[in-house]
Structure formats: C-alpha cells, structure tokens
Amino acid sequence: MEHKKKITDLKKSIEKFNDFSTKEKTSLVDSIEMLWLNAGIQKKKKDIKIDGNNSSDHIKRIRQLLSAAWSEDLKD
C-alpha cells in the first residue's frame, strides 16, 4: 500500500511540475513579446516628432492604449 502512495505522490508531483512549467513558458513568451515590442518602440522613438505642448498627453495616451492591449491579451 505504501508503494502505491509513493507512486501517486510522484505522479501528482510530476503533474504539478508540468502545470508550473506550462505557466512559466507562457510567462517567458509574454516577456519576450514585451521585450520585442519595447525594442521596436525604442528603435522608432528617435523618429517620432511630438510637439512640445501636448507631448505628455500623447505619451499618456500611447501608454493607455498599450496597457489596454496587453490587458486584453492576458484575458485569453
């Protein structure tokens, strides 16, 4: 009976590790996508010309749109 319990515990441990690995993989993919997006933004950042008076409003709006997009992606 003890042998079956050890096998069951081992099986549960493997399943738990597999679930954790899947979540970690998803997290890493999300991080890579964020880094890729950030690199693209940084590359194009010097090409963007924003007028002095409304620049903070434009930046705030861009951040809001990016946050909303990432929030929608995380819901899936």
Side-chain angles (χ1 to χ4, degrees):
M1 197 64 157
E2 182 67 28
H3 185 66
K4 278 189 169 186
K5 184 180 182 321
K6 287 183 180 181
I7 292 174
T8 302
D9 289 346
L10 182 60
K11 182 180 175 184
K12 287 179 182 178
S13 177
I14 291 170
E15 289 172 349
K16 185 177 178 181
F17 180 74
N18 189 31
D19 290 342
F20 176 77
S21 296
T22 301
K23 289 177 186 176
E24 188 67 20
K25 179 182 173 186
T26 302
S27 178
L28 286 172
V29 168
D30 290 345
S31 295
I32 290 168
E33 288 176 353
M34 272 298 253
L35 289 171
W36 177 80
L37 177 62
N38 189 40
I41 290 172
Q42 293 299 322
K43 183 177 178 184
K44 293 179 182 183
K45 192 175 184 180
K46 57 187 167 191
D47 297 336
I48 298 173
K49 303 288 185 205
I50 300 176
D51 59 336
N53 294 339
N54 290 332
S55 63
S56 62
D57 291 338
H58 292 300
I59 292 170
K60 183 178 178 182
R61 182 65 182 143
I62 290 168
R63 286 181 176 155
Q64 289 172 341
L65 291 170
L66 287 171
S67 296
W70 279 105
S71 176
E72 286 299 314
D73 284 347
L74 291 176
K75 286 181 182 178
D76 296 334

